[in-house]
Amino acid sequence: MAFTLSSSPHDHVPLNTATLMRRVCYCLIPGILVQWWFFGWGSLVQIALAVTTAYAAEALVLALRKRRFAPLRDNSALLTALLIGIAVPPLAPWWLVVIGTAFAIIVAKQLYGGLGQNLFNPAMVAYVLLLVSFPLPMTSWLPPLALQTYPPGLLDSLSAIFTGFTLDGFAPHQLRELADGTTMATPLDTLKTGFTQGHTSGEILAGPAFGGMAGVGWQWVNLAYLAGGLALLRLRLISWPIPVAMLGTLFLLGLVGFMVSPDGSIGPMMHLFSGATMLGAFFIATDPVSASTTFRGRLVYGALIGLLIYLIRTFGGYPDAVAFAVLLANMTVPMIDSLTKPKTYGEAR
């Protein structure tokens, strides 16, 4: 029986990278299916485009760097592509998701040295790039299919994505019109616009986009990503401090803000179950490469993201704010880790 010597740290890792990434992708499936149910085939088409682009871009960079193609099998490119495909509006033009995914893989990931070397979450870097560069198509989300006058099918979605028009000649902006002729944005965007026009939250929430906790369709999408996030916790693929600190901080700030100004602020449930809140809490903020690594640091990191989301949604110009909050928090990770690292055994306190 051989006796093997190895250097510290002696950490037992039951899963390799490919298996871990694949299981995270599995946990995204409930949210993707619910998103498809409420917003149509466009979301699946965008995901397919993102996955194809991600693997092509990664293969190209590996070939240029004269490296083996083994990293293609670690499923990290697949996870990045899924997150970008989810975040892009269903009928956005095809080149939008291609540009974003290629930038995420080539610049935000590979130029930093590949998996494990990136300072920022690649999917969020791509999303912010697209949002700043192409704000109109990136904010042109369709209303849920049940509220649409002309809900597109698979062929209509393919035609709109690749040509700009459905088979019947409708442009994506025409599909955003509701049965009463009004044009709908996302619930968070609708609230932001309504507040700037002097409407109260009660008046805005009486619109057709809202119902239940946080808006037709969006609340169920967030519940599905919450279910996937709980599965991540159950499988011990992520730890609880970041999502709990982020969601808890966002809920408390939303509650205080609503108590102070109920007619001019978003309620806590709207904060939690609209936009990309649950997706961000469990699948984006918990990225092991760009997040804090200490226990106390993860609590601070998650709370900081929750605080930034609330501040940007309340006082900034971007209604969702998850991507900006995560990237800003990524910048603070070295300092957070240095201030929260545990004492070495035997070190004077």
Side-chain angles (χ1 to χ4, degrees):
M1 180 176 179
F3 182 74
T4 303
L5 295 176
S6 60
S7 61
S8 61
H10 305 287
D11 190 16
H12 298 280
V13 180
L15 300 176
N16 58 31
T17 300
T19 302
L20 187 149
M21 294 288 180
R22 184 171 62 250
R23 292 186 180 181
V24 174
C25 293
Y26 289 157
C27 291
L28 280 170
I29 291 176
I32 292 173
L33 291 178
V34 174
Q35 194 166 319
W36 161 75
W37 178 262
F38 281 100
F39 296 99
W41 290 95
S43 295
L44 299 187
V45 176
Q46 300 291 0
I47 288 172
L49 286 171
V51 170
T52 303
T53 303
Y55 277 107
E58 186 123 304
L60 174 63
V61 174
L62 292 175
L64 292 175
R65 296 176 63 187
K66 298 181 180 180
R67 295 186 58 185
R68 295 184 299 110
F69 286 86
L72 283 172
R73 296 192 292 270
D74 64 16
N75 294 319
S76 62
L78 173 62
L79 179 57
T80 298
L82 289 178
L83 294 175
I84 296 173
I86 289 167
V88 172
L91 297 188
W94 64 270
W95 48 263
L96 200 71
V97 72
V98 170
I99 291 174
T101 308
F103 188 86
I105 297 298
I106 297 173
V107 178
K109 178 184 176 184
Q110 289 294 341
L111 286 187
Y112 279 94
L115 180 64
Q117 306 299 318
N118 50 285
L119 300 179
F120 302 97
N121 185 291
M124 294 301 94
V125 171
Y127 180 82
V128 168
L129 168 76
L130 295 177
L131 187 60
V132 173
S133 303
F134 311 102
L136 182 58
M138 281 298 292
T139 54
S140 298
W141 274 85
L142 294 176
L145 294 177
L147 299 178
Q148 292 184 40
T149 307
Y150 309 102
L154 174 58
L155 295 181
D156 281 323
S157 298
L158 286 168
S159 180
I161 290 170
F162 287 100
T163 70
F165 296 93
T166 66
L167 297 177
D168 293 325
F170 292 106
H173 73 271
Q174 293 175 299
L175 298 177
R176 295 176 64 200
E177 293 186 357
L178 305 180
D180 60 1
T182 60
T183 300
M184 176 183 166
T186 64
L188 286 172
D189 190 46
T190 301
L191 277 163
K192 173 71 72 175
T193 303
F195 289 145
T196 59
Q197 295 174 346
H199 300 296
T200 66
S201 60
E203 293 171 340
I204 302 169
L205 294 174
F210 299 95
M213 291 182 295
V216 176
W218 291 96
Q219 58 197 14
W220 295 107
V221 171
N222 274 274
L223 284 170
Y225 285 123
L226 172 60
L230 294 177
L232 290 177
L233 291 172
R234 179 67 179 82
L235 295 171
R236 297 183 179 179
L237 300 177
I238 62 173
S239 56
W240 64 266
I242 292 176
V244 169
M246 172 185 156
L247 296 177
T249 301
L250 186 57
F251 177 83
L252 289 176
L253 291 174
L255 180 62
V256 171
F258 189 72
M259 292 173 65
V260 172
S261 177
D263 290 332
S265 62
I266 302 174
M269 300 308 290
M270 177 66 70
H271 274 296
L272 292 184
F273 292 99
S274 191
T277 303
M278 292 299 171
L279 178 67
F282 292 99
F283 294 93
I284 296 172
T286 56
D287 174 24
V289 177
S290 57
S292 179
T293 57
T294 67
F295 177 80
R296 288 184 298 161
R298 289 170 180 166
L299 290 173
V300 173
Y301 175 78
L304 177 61
I305 293 175
L307 171 63
L308 290 170
I309 291 173
Y310 177 79
L311 292 176
I312 297 172
R313 284 180 177 178
T314 304
F315 305 106
Y318 293 95
D320 198 343
V322 171
F324 289 98
V326 170
L327 293 182
L328 290 171
N330 287 161
M331 297 180 186
T332 68
V333 165
M335 182 180 68
I336 292 174
D337 282 349
S338 67
L339 295 176
T340 60
K341 62 181 180 182
K343 296 290 184 180
T344 304
Y345 181 76
E347 181 181 351
R349 297 183 181 274

